[in-house]
Amino acid sequence: MVKSASSPVTITVSSAGKESGSRSMGLTSPIPRRASISSSASPLGGGGNRRASSGGRYSSTTKDDPIEEMNSEFVSYTVHIPPTPDHRSISASQTSLSEGGKDGLKLKPERSFISGTIFTGGYNSVTRGHVIDCSLEKPDTMKSGLICGMRGCDEKVVQGQCECGFKICRDCYLDCVGSGGGRCPGCKEPYKDASDGDDDEDDISSEEEEEEEDQAFPLPSIADFKLDKRLSLVKSFKGQNHQPDFDHTRWLFETKGTYGYGNAVWPKDGYEAGSGTNGFEHPPDFAERCKRPLTRKVGVSAAILSPYRLLIILRLVALSFFLTWRIRHPNRDAMWLWGMSITCELWFAFSWVLDQLPKLCPVNRITDLSVLKQRFESPNLRNPKGRSDLPGIDVFVSTADPEKEPPLVTANTILSILAVDYPVEKLACYLSDDGGALLTFEALAETASFARIWVPFCRKHDIHPRNPEAYFGQKRDFLKNKVRLDFVRERRRVKREYDEFKVRINSLPDSIRRRSDAYNAHEEIRAKKKQMEMGDNLSDPIKIPKATWMSDGSHWPGTWASAESDHSKGDHAGIIQVMLAPPNAEPLYGAEADGENLIDTTEVDIRLPMLVYVSREKRPGYDHNKKAGAMNALVRTSAIMSNGPFILNLDCDHYVYNSLALREGMCFMLDRGGDRICYVQFPQRFEGIDPNDRYANHNTVFFDVSMRALDGLQGPMYVGTGCIFRRTALYGFSPPRATEHHGWFGRRKIKLTLRKPKVTKKAEDEMVVPINGENNDDDDADIESLLLPKRFGNSTSLASSIPVAEYQGRLLQDVQGKGNKGRPAGSLAVPREPLDAAIVAEAISVISCFYEDKTEWGKRVGWIYGSVTEDVVTGYRMHNRGWRSIYCVTKKDAFRGTAPINLTDRLHQVLRWATGSVEIFFSRNNALFASHRMKFLQRVAYFNVGMYPFTSMFLLVYCILPAVSLFSGQFIVQSLSVTFLIFLLAITITLCLLAILEIKWSGITLHDWWRNEQFWLIGGTSAHPAAVLQGLLKVIAGVDISFTLTSKSATPDDGDDEFADLYVVKWSFLMVPPITIMMVNMIAIAVGVARTMYSMFPQWSKLVGGVFFSFWVLCHLYPFAKGLMGRRGKVPTIVFVWSGLLSIIVSLLWVYINPPSGGRQDLMKFQFP
């Protein structure tokens, strides 16, 4: 039994014998537990002992303190690891060297065991590691570490020839110096002592000794710094041979690092060309590089912005005068008509002000990727090898139903992420399968296999976009800017391989079904045979569960096609599978093209980022909180497995279109002032939209006008996908600095430094990161540490990862402002620690269904629960704590996705958004209750988010008023006077001018603006009223709101119409109000024209006014009417029936209320005059 003192987990390692034949390992079930973190057991409270893994076995830690035992319940994990090629029994492992020499077999590294094992577990269930890959490796053909690395050479290695560590013998070294240009075969860099290559071996050794003497003194070890006792540094605890602390001194010495200018010895060979005084080199000037900003804010031209602001003021004045005139001049003949119209107009004016005020300060931003590369990926004094110093990014992809979200779409998204232009070792991708489907699991396994071909191909030939479906489907010339002679041949091979990959993905459902049927039939036969052997009555039925089987002949632990207990969508165990293990820190180059390798990758890094499949546990009786709960499960899992300080979340149908998008987002996070940024939001761009964008699917007015304007305030809203988060901001912590806005319109500002508790008093709900190395008050820090289990749960691994993520997300010391803590350059250029089974077992426990009980997950930490639009609420909470966000609009679209082009699907999507806004309005997330840390105009913008659905109630009335006016012969004003027409003209002209200027500074088109106006009325008369009704029912009656998942369109087959879904008419109750409005207005126009033409005293002014407004309504509803016609004008009969009945009822009701002539007794004799 392995024990230490940092986690309430005891893991007993036992190895099954050869005769057992066991293929699984069991861990006792994690039960609800509570653990408090003391100063000696957690990174937040001191050094303590960390768990250590030996030889790839499970490690654990246990707390023996009797006081701790009184306050917490402990879980005992008993692990049975079966003998596999990469994990032998104790006796076998002791003799592995001798056996390896006899049979020539190679033990796979420990990470292969992790990537070849499915880990499952959850509440009241055994946590298991199911080994799915236990085949023996081929005979070892790799050379020993003491043999020369050149092909065909087996001489002994001469050490210390190159910094890259390439192993080479003396003869090969002399050949490289003499005929190879003096360059190392490994890193292709010239040997420093190439001129002395003809000397003998003794001369080489003496030169090494002299070189060592000339080296600068290395940096002291991190352990020597007198940091705060709560400092948690990244320690190596995964391997038996690793020291407990990372030896910074040894690392700097081996990499020939120096302390910097002013050290006792400056290297004579220097870091730049030329020689300085007395034979020493002048230090490079790093100051100029550090001063160059990564980002720049570009304001909108004053020639556009000043008239734009002036027009807003002029229109506001015109509206004020118009409404004042309307109130003072009522229509005495139709007071009811005048009252309804003036009420609607007042609300429209209020709604316009809420929408327009946040648009006063639009900005544009640009990034400089060359500075990012120079600052974080160039050799410097602390990072001589030029390893990437960029922080890690964990990418989250969410899917829930493989039937509505095709696996091929998800696979292409994953491939675009794995091929992104970001350091491979700093990237990790997590797929959340909330349906627990075997189809998604096996599709991801196929994707990981194809990625070994696709990703090197993209890197070698600079392929864009790196989504294979989008790339191979492009209609432009794919040879443009391609100069390599092997491109066409390799592209043809990869294209053929991708076609086969698509066929395999498409055949998976049928393959899984046939495989499961065969295994189930076999199980039935075995049950029958056993029944016969037992002598039971053969007529008795045998209940055999219809299981879903994996390819290795074992039960799938997730959802089965035939739902059974513990295997349904709402009842299954948690699953984690590492599809691609974390890569090594050093580049790994491939081989030449041959029978096994489709492309030549001798000059291409073939490493792949870590890829993990996650399906959280679900059990009946627990609220799993839909997408928000799945995202929070990924946050906890990634914190334990990779702990990237930044998180990018994408929907399964949104792929990376611009491979440099992550770098552009990191420019904002790592620039001066970036420590106050909680997230960087990218605009959503869509493919597969019809050219006319009939239903405003591109939504360019929101993404290019409203979001750019918010970027000039406190930042854009979070819209659910395409967003890079700071992990500590998601954890609910406050920013290092904030500004409170007091007084009228927040004009009086008070700056706060939230990480110095002695300076400013913290609010009750303030949550400050236990920053390491700062002189915080010990009592406050201890209180924060004790509150961590209550906030984040009882996982000590999760708690210990928090300060590490905060440290890795800091700005560099030379960028950070005065008085603020930054990290030294090169501190992230160290290799990532390998995974072991104990880490994955811990990750299983944090995705259990009970883990969030009595914690603040979903309340303050992570994605916020309780709303259909959890994305807006999550962003609002961050802004309310004082964080700010950034809107990153790249020249080339960062991400692209799909949107529903079908009318019914589009209306249901808008219904979900509007319902979430109504929920926000009736909750504590209403901007009226925002803190003083939120700017006034930002508060107005968030308040408008909750208010806009209520405009639909007034819009419905106002769209009916023209028809009522034509039916009754009255109008909203007494007469069309000159004053009324002047006001109406002024309001219309200012609106058009504002639209033109918005088009100018945002870059949208007039067509986009008009489509947005049309769909605003379509949605306002269909989905928004239904959202208001549903929201009121939830608030008043407690009726829960449920929505179906929006179907993602799959790639159309060759010959199919790409926009076929546009013409499909699906009946929905949301269509009734717009259809009724159209029918009533058309009938009213006919009635009004007929009445006026046959009247003895025609009132043409009232007719013109009524017809004009009816025509305005019908023009806005034209796309809706066109959508009802379908491709050939076929409309379901129910549409005409409902519309006709409602129109007749409204017409008869109006005739009854206001008969045209005579009394009510003459209603049956009604005739047009």
Side-chain angles (χ1 to χ4, degrees), residues 143-186:
K143 296 185 177 181
S144 171
L146 302 177
I147 303 300
C148 177
M150 299 294 289
R151 293 184 178 180
C153 181
D154 56 357
E155 296 294 329
K156 292 185 179 180
V157 173
V158 177
Q159 300 292 337
Q161 296 303 319
C162 184
E163 295 179 358
C164 70
F166 181 79
K167 298 176 178 58
I168 189 170
C169 66
R170 182 176 180 274
D171 294 336
C172 294
Y173 168 71
L174 295 177
D175 292 339
C176 291
V177 172
S179 60
R183 296 182 178 273
C184 172

Side-chain angles (χ1 to χ4, degrees), residues 903-904 1063-1068 1071 1075 1121-1140:
L903 176 59
T904 304
Y1063 308 107
V1064 177
V1065 180
K1066 305 174 186 177
W1067 171 249
S1068 172
M1071 296 179 177
I1075 292 175
K1122 194 173 181 180
L1124 291 179
M1125 296 298 103
R1127 186 188 297 272
R1128 300 181 181 86
K1130 294 183 178 180
V1131 184
T1133 307
I1134 188 66
V1135 174
F1136 291 111
V1137 172
W1138 277 92
S1139 304

Side-chain angles (χ1 to χ4, degrees), residues 362-435:
V363 296
N364 296 314
R365 300 181 188 272
I366 58 176
T367 60
D368 192 340
L369 295 181
S370 62
V371 178
L372 181 76
K373 184 175 181 61
Q374 188 180 28
R375 185 179 297 176
F376 292 95
E377 295 181 316
S378 298
N380 55 47
L381 302 182
R382 291 182 176 273
N383 185 16
K385 285 191 174 182
R387 289 177 176 173
S388 177
D389 196 27
L390 289 169
I393 299 180
D394 295 336
V395 185
F396 296 169
V397 181
S398 59
T399 183
D401 190 345
E403 295 182 359
K404 295 186 177 181
E405 297 170 331
L408 186 59
V409 174
T410 305
N412 277 277
T413 299
I414 298 295
L415 289 170
S416 69
I417 295 171
L418 298 179
V420 76
D421 188 358
Y422 200 79
V424 182
E425 66 276 12
K426 301 299 181 71
L427 196 66
C429 180
Y430 295 83
L431 175 66
S432 171
D433 179 18
D434 226 23

